[in-house]
Amino acid sequence: MQEGQRYCRKCLLREMDEAEYFKNMYDYIARLPHEDKVSDEEYERRLSICKGCDYLLQGMCRLCGCYVEMRAVMKVRGCPDIPDRWKA
């Protein structure tokens, strides 16, 4: 998104520029309060587990529909699989 350009909250994914969408997601992750996020080591551990999971498809978990990088960074979120692969 260019400086001063407004982001449409009502757009569907197919209406957005993919690169810009992912940039916004990473910006959102970066702006989360530190106390809401897991440590960098735990984040990488969770992502490593997700990368080996059969439910991962193009960055999304097919069990819950979340982008795994978004879900894995949050302390209150756990793996949706039963049994879970990582806990909240």
Side-chain angles (χ1 to χ4, degrees):
M1 183 178 336
Q2 295 179 355
E3 188 73 28
Q5 184 178 6
R6 295 185 67 190
Y7 178 74
C8 177
R9 294 179 177 197
K10 300 287 185 178
C11 290
L12 299 173
L13 288 176
R14 63 184 172 199
E15 298 168 333
M16 295 181 204
D17 174 71
E18 184 176 341
E20 191 62 34
Y21 180 78
F22 287 115
K23 181 185 177 305
N24 285 335
M25 183 175 71
Y26 289 123
D27 288 347
Y28 176 82
I29 290 172
R31 288 191 309 265
L32 285 171
H34 181 73
E35 60 271 13
D36 293 344
K37 297 193 298 189
V38 297
S39 68
D40 291 344
E41 294 79 21
E42 177 62 11
Y43 182 57
E44 293 302 323
R45 186 187 76 81
R46 290 178 175 190
L47 292 180
S48 176
I49 293 169
C50 290
K51 285 191 76 164
C53 180
D54 290 339
Y55 294 111
L56 178 65
L57 180 65
Q58 298 178 330
M60 292 183 73
C61 173
R62 290 185 294 153
L63 289 175
C64 66
C66 292
Y67 284 105
V68 296
E69 291 168 79
M70 181 81 75
R71 188 176 188 93
V73 77
M74 302 174 102
K75 284 182 180 176
V76 297
R77 299 285 184 231
C79 170
D81 200 3
I82 301 173
D84 55 11
R85 298 166 194 253
W86 44 268
K87 297 191 180 302

